[in-house]
Amino acid sequence: MQILNNLFFESQQDFPYLTKELNEIFSDIILGGKIIRYKISKPKFINILASSNKKNIQNEIQMKLDQYANKKFIDIFKSKKNIAGIVSEEEKEIIFLEGDSAKKGKYVILLDPIDGSSNIDVNVSIGTIFSIYQRITPIGVPITEADFLQPGNKQIAAGYILYGPSTVLIYSTGYGINKLIYDSTLGIFSLLKEKIMYPSKGKIYSINEGDYNSFPVGVKKYIKFCQEQNKETNRPYTARYTGSFVADFHRNLLKGGIYIYPNTTKYPNGKLRLLYECNPIAFLAEQGGGKASDGNKRILDIIPNKLHQRTPFFVGIKTMVDKAELFINKHCYM
Ligand code: AHM
Ligand code: MG
C-alpha cells in the first residue's frame, strides 16, 4: 500500500501521470475534503447539516453545508497559483481568480461541492465531484467562458470524494481509476486500489422510479426489462437509489450496475449538470471500462454551450447502457 500525505508529490514515482501542478491541485481538493469530512462528523457542528433557506442558481434550496463547502473550496483555490478560475454548482458565474492566477494559472476546475444535498440532514452518503481542464486561452491573458465550455473528452483529471461510512477519493488522470481511503487518525489518504474496473456483469439499476409516469417510453420499457427475470442473473435486477449520485455511481462501479437520470416532465433536459456532475463521472466510467451516454450519444463528446447545462444521463456497465440505448432508440426518446 502506498501512503500519501496531503502532497501527492511526495510519492511522485508511484503516480507518474500526476504532474507537480496537478499534485498541488489534488492536494487542495484533499484539504477541502478533509475539512468537510471533519465538519460533518462532529456533533458540535450539527447545525451545519440544516437548510440555509436560500436558493442557488438552480432554484434549489441550499443546505448550510452546500454554502460552507462551496466557500471553503473557493477560498482554498483562491490562495493558489495554478488555478485560473472555478465554476461551481452553487455559483451563477465563473469565479475568476485575481492577480497572477487568472492570467498565468494553467488549469480551470469545475465543482459540485456537495452532491446529494437532500441527504445531508439524514446522514446518508454525500460527495464532492471535481473536473479539471487545461485552459485553452493563452497564458498571460484572463481566462474566458470558453475555457470551461470544453467537451468532457478534454478533461485531464476528474474524480470525487465520497463521505460515507469511510471517506474515499476516487480519481483518474486518464490512466485508470485509483481509489484512496482516508485515515482520520493520521490525516492521510492511502492508496487502496489501482485500475478499478466495472465487473463484467451487472445486476443493479438506479433510477428515481417515483418519476416513472413522466419518463420517456424507452426508459419505461427499459425499467420493465430490468424488472423481468434476467437470463444472466436468473432473477430481476436489483433496484438501488439513494438520491446521492456519487454514492449510487460508486456502488454500481464496484458491484456492477447502471445509474439513470432521464429527461422528465419536471426536468425536460434531465436534472444533472453536464459540466461538473456528468462529465467527471463519465470520464471515470470510461476509465473503468463502462459507458456514459445521454441516451443517444457519448456524454464526453457533447460540446457545452452554457455553464449550468443539464443533460439526461445513463452511466454504468457498457452492456447495460447499450441495452438502455436500444430501448430508447426503438421507442423514441420522448
Ligand atoms: P445535488 O447536486 O443538488 O445534490 O443534485 C443532484 C442529485 C443527485 O445526487 C441525485 O442522484 C439526484 O439529484 C436526485 O434527484 P431526485 O431527488 O430527483 O431523484
Ligand atoms: Mg450534484
Side-chain angles (χ1 to χ4, degrees), residues 167-188:
T167 298
V168 292
L169 166 65
I170 301 288
Y171 80 90
S172 177
T173 53
Y175 298 90
I177 302 176
N178 294 317
K179 177 181 176 188
L180 294 89
I181 187 159
Y182 182 60
D183 180 329
S184 61
T185 311
L186 297 175
I188 58 169

Side-chain angles (χ1 to χ4, degrees), residues 60-196:
E60 295 160 347
I61 291 280
Q62 283 179 314
M63 304 297 281
K64 285 184 190 166
L65 186 65
D66 284 321
Q67 296 175 334
Y68 177 84
N70 181 51
K71 184 171 180 318
K72 193 51 73 185
F73 276 112
I74 292 171
D75 286 348
I76 291 171
F77 290 128
K78 263 187 175 167
S79 63
K80 299 298 158 67
K81 285 208 169 59
N82 42 23
I83 300 271
I86 308 162
V87 158
S88 164
E89 178 180 344
E90 306 302 334
E91 302 281 339
K92 187 172 178 198
E93 310 289 351
I94 296 169
I95 297 152
F96 295 95
L97 298 194
E98 287 155 20
D100 268 5
S101 293
K103 288 188 185 159
K104 292 188 185 155
K106 271 193 205 160
Y107 304 97
V108 295
I109 187 157
L110 299 96
L111 281 175
D112 180 352
I114 296 291
D115 180 63
S117 303
S118 69
N119 282 325
I120 291 175
D121 56 350
V122 290
N123 202 20
V124 172
S125 299
I126 52 178
T128 296
I129 310 176
F130 60 91
S131 164
I132 303 169
Y133 291 81
Q134 207 144 11
R135 66 189 287 166
I136 51 174
T137 50
I139 301 274
V141 298
I143 50 160
T144 69
E145 203 177 60
D147 291 298
F148 295 91
L149 296 181
Q150 301 186 56
N153 58 38
K154 300 281 186 207
Q155 288 173 104
I156 57 165
Y160 57 84
I161 300 173
L162 179 64
Y163 313 99
S166 60
T167 298
V168 292
L169 166 65
I170 301 288
Y171 80 90
S172 177
T173 53
Y175 298 90
I177 302 176
N178 294 317
K179 177 181 176 188
L180 294 89
I181 187 159
Y182 182 60
D183 180 329
S184 61
T185 311
L186 297 175
I188 58 169
F189 279 85
S190 313
L191 183 64
L192 211 55
K193 197 165 179 213
E194 292 173 280
K195 301 219 180 304
I196 293 178

Side-chain angles (χ1 to χ4, degrees), residues 219-231:
V219 174
K220 287 181 177 167
K221 300 269 184 196
Y222 178 68
I223 290 173
K224 287 293 164 209
F225 162 81
C226 293
Q227 293 169 341
E228 280 160 13
Q229 183 91 351
N230 192 285
K231 277 186 205 138

